[in-house]
Amino acid sequence: MSNSGSDYAPLTVETLPQRLSSVAEVSTRLGSDASSWQVREVGDGNLNLVFIVESPLGAIVVKQALPYVRLVGDSWPLPLSRSYFEFNALVRQAERAPGMVPELYYFDRHQALLVMEFLSPHHILRHSLMRTERHEGLGAALGEFCADTLFKGSDLCMDAAKRKADVALFAGNVALCDITESLVFTDPFYPAPMNRHTSPQLDDSVQNLRADTAAKVAAQDMKYRFCSRAETLLHGDLHTGSVMVSGKDVKVIDPEFALYGPMGFDIGMLMANFLMAWFAQPGHVSDDQQRDAYQRWILETVSDIWTRFQDRFETLWAQERNGMLYPEVLFDRAGESKAVRQACDAQLVAIWEDAMGFCGAEMIRRILGLAHIAEFEEIEDADLRGHCERGALALGRELLVNRQDVTSLQSLFDQLKRATAQEPLTS
Ligand code: SR1
Ligand code: MG
C-alpha cells in the first residue's frame, strides 16, 4: 500500500505509462520501458476506470475510482475512499477464500488506484451466461466462496476485538451503502428521478408496485436488515458482473461495496442474477431445446451455490468455530453437541430466508430502478424484453413478500415456474 501524497488525478490511456513506470510493483511485471506498454481502458461497470496494461513481459489491470458515478456523470459525486474499502476487502477475501480473488500487486490510497492480476483468458460471467456457456463447478466454487468469506468474517470465527475494529473500518463505506440502500430497497418502489423501465410494456407493473403496500413494507424490512445486522463482511455487490470465469476457474472481483451486513445478502444477490439470466433466455436463444437445456443448467448452478454453501458452512461450523459464539466450553455432552448442530441448521434456515428476500429486491431493482442488467437490456424487441422482465418481476415480488414460505430450492423453483406461467408469451 502506498500513500503517495500527490494530488489525485484520473489516469488516461496517455498518462498511465508515465505515472506508473516508477512503481516497482508495476515495472517488475511490465519492464521499465513504459514506451513499450499497450494501454486499453475497458471499464464497462457503473463506477470506475479500468485499464489493461500489456507489455512484451506481462500484463496487469489498473482500476481507479473516479470522484463521481461513471454511469450518471459528475452530477453524482462519489468518494474516492471506496478504493480503500475495496483494497481492504480484497486482502481479507484472499485470506479467507484463497485463489478466489485476483492477486493484488499495489494500492495507492491518494490516487484511489489498485493494481491487480490480469485475469486471462477470463470473461465476465454475465457475458458468458448470455453466450450460453457452461462452466463446470461454477456453482460449487461460488457457494464455497460465500461460505468461506461469510463464516470467517463473523463472530462465529473471528477474534471479537479484531472484528469490532473491522466493523468500525468498513462502517466508513457510507456512500456505497447508501447507493444500495436507495437503489435496491427504496427507489424502485416510488417515482425516483433516475428510475427507468421498459415502457409502455411495464407501465402497469410500475403502477402496481407503487401501490403494493406489502411489497414496500417487505423491501423496507429487508433494508432494515441490510443496514443494521452487521453479521459479517460482505462483498456487497455480488452479481454476475462481479465474477470472472475461464473454463473451471472462477474469480470474484470488485468488492468496493464491502460492508458488515447480513449473511444472506451476497447469496441472495448472486442467486437473483442467475435467475434473471434464466428469465432473459428467450431473448437470447430461439431454439426451444437449446434454451431449455441452458435454463436447466442455470438452475443446477443456483442449486449448487446453495448446496455447497450449506455443506461448507456446516464444515466450518464444526471445525473453525473459533469466535465468541457457541463456544465449545458450553456444550460438552452428547445431547448438547446435537443442539449445536441444530443451532447451525437454524442459522442456515435464517440465512436462506434472508437470501430469498434480498434476491427478490435485487430482481425488482434491476428491472425498474436505475442500474439494469445486460441480459435484459440487450433484448432489442421491447415486447419480448418486457415479457422476460415481467416473469422476473413476478418471481421477485413473490420472494420479497412471501420469503418465509419459500423454504427450499424446490419451492424456489416451483415459484419460478409459477411466475413463468403467469406471464405467457402472447405474440
Ligand atoms: C450507481 S451504481 C449502480 C449499481 O452499480 C453497481 O454495480 C451496484 O450494483 C450499484 O447498485
Ligand atoms: Mg462493480
Side-chain angles (χ1 to χ4, degrees):
M1 174 162 148
S2 157
N3 281 309
S4 65
S6 49
D7 288 342
Y8 167 85
L11 294 165
T12 65
V13 167
E14 291 75 30
T15 62
L16 186 148
Q18 188 266 323
R19 292 207 17 226
L20 293 190
S21 59
S22 58
V23 174
E25 291 84 348
V26 173
S27 57
T28 51
R29 290 176 172 89
L30 299 181
S32 50
D33 175 14
S35 66
S36 71
W37 300 0
Q38 302 284 323
V39 187
R40 284 179 286 148
E41 206 279 312
V42 296
D44 67 348
N46 294 330
L47 301 182
N48 307 296
L49 295 169
V50 181
F51 300 90
I52 294 173
V53 190
E54 293 175 282
S55 85
L57 296 181
I60 56 169
V61 163
V62 177
K63 177 172 176 180
Q64 188 180 34
L66 287 164
Y68 53 84
V69 174
R70 184 175 184 168
L71 172 71
V72 176
D74 56 11
S75 61
W76 186 347
L78 199 62
L80 298 172
S81 59
R82 62 186 186 272
S83 177
Y84 176 66
F85 298 111
E86 177 162 358
F87 162 72
N88 278 285
L90 273 172
V91 169
R92 285 153 186 72
Q93 290 169 346
E95 278 169 15
R96 294 169 189 167
M100 284 297 296
V101 297
E103 192 183 340
L104 191 60
Y105 300 145
Y106 174 75
F107 172 58
D108 182 329
R109 190 169 177 177
H110 285 283
Q111 295 301 326
L113 184 155
L114 292 145
V115 180
M116 292 174 283
E117 177 184 6
F118 172 48
L119 298 168
S120 176
H122 295 61
H123 296 286
I124 294 287
L125 174 59
R126 190 182 296 294
H127 302 155
S128 177
L129 295 177
M130 287 166 67
R131 290 192 297 265
T132 65
E133 291 170 9
R134 291 171 170 79
H135 296 276
E136 197 186 324
L138 174 64
L142 290 171
E144 192 153 327
F145 173 82
C146 288
D148 278 327
T149 54
L150 302 182
F151 187 93
K152 294 177 190 175
S154 78
D155 270 323
L156 291 164
C157 186
M158 270 182 93
D159 170 77
K162 280 192 189 144
R163 205 186 91 92
K164 285 181 170 61
D166 226 36
V167 171
L169 187 156
F170 283 95
N173 204 4
V174 178
L176 276 81
C177 288
D178 177 60
I179 288 181
T180 305
E181 287 150 7
S182 302
L183 263 53
V184 177
F185 301 109
T186 298
D187 290 4
F189 301 88
Y190 85 105
M194 287 184 291
N195 285 350
R196 60 193 178 86
H197 64 270
T198 301
S199 181
Q201 289 81 358
L202 294 189
D203 288 357
D204 59 338
S205 305
V206 171
Q207 293 314 320
N208 291 342
L209 192 70
R210 286 178 191 161
D212 188 342
T213 308
K216 290 190 281 191
V217 168
Q220 291 305 299
D221 186 23
M222 296 318 298
K223 180 177 181 176
Y224 195 6
R225 287 162 197 254
F226 174 80
C227 66
S228 61
R229 297 202 178 171
E231 294 172 356
T232 191
L233 180 64
L234 300 174
H235 177 284
D237 196 27
L238 192 51
H239 52 78
T240 49
S242 299
V243 177
M244 295 192 75
V245 282
S246 169
K248 290 185 195 172
D249 193 45
V250 182
K251 294 275 192 291
V252 176
I253 62 170
D254 279 1
E256 67 208 309
F257 281 77
L259 75 149
Y260 271 81
M263 294 257 190
F265 183 76
D266 281 351
I267 308 165
M269 190 169 260
L270 190 59
M271 286 187 176
N273 280 269
F274 277 100
L275 295 172
M276 287 187 284
W278 187 95
F279 279 102
Q281 281 300 306
H284 301 286
V285 182
S286 49
D287 179 82
D288 288 353
Q289 276 190 340
Q290 202 193 334
R291 188 175 62 242
D292 285 354
Y294 196 65
Q295 285 182 316
R296 261 197 309 281
W297 180 81
I298 292 177
L299 296 191
E300 279 163 24
T301 304
V302 170
S303 181
D304 290 347
I305 291 173
W306 178 252
T307 307
R308 180 60 72 94
F309 172 78
Q310 200 169 244
D311 289 352
R312 179 77 182 141
F313 192 93
E314 283 168 0
T315 302
L316 292 167
W317 181 282
Q319 296 175 0
E320 295 192 38
R321 210 173 67 251
N322 305 321
M324 65 176 173
L325 295 175
Y326 304 91
E328 290 284 342
V329 286
L330 289 185
F331 308 102
D332 53 3
R333 293 176 308 185
E336 288 179 341
S337 304
K338 193 174 160 212
V340 178
R341 283 198 299 279
Q342 285 169 345
C344 176
D345 293 345
Q347 291 297 330
L348 285 165
V349 167
I351 293 170
W352 170 266
E353 185 181 320
D354 271 5
M356 290 298 97
F358 292 125
C359 180
E362 168 72 357
M363 293 175 80
I364 292 170
R365 75 95 169 210
R366 293 289 185 186
I367 299 167
L368 304 184
L370 164 71
H372 289 221
I373 58 168
E375 285 95 325
F376 291 136
E377 294 296 276
E378 292 188 13
I379 303 174
E380 275 179 26
D381 176 342
D383 286 337
L384 181 55
R385 185 185 338 123
H387 158 76
C388 296
E389 291 176 329
R390 288 175 90 95
L393 273 180
L395 178 62
R397 195 264 174 200
E398 182 63 29
L399 298 181
L400 179 61
V401 175
N402 295 319
R403 58 190 180 278
Q404 67 287 351
D405 299 330
V406 185
T407 53
S408 63
L409 281 163
Q410 190 51 55
S411 99
L412 169 63
F413 298 154
D414 290 345
Q415 289 301 338
L416 175 135
K417 284 192 193 109
R418 223 162 275 157
T420 319
Q422 268 175 43
E423 300 296 338
L425 190 53
T426 45
S427 56

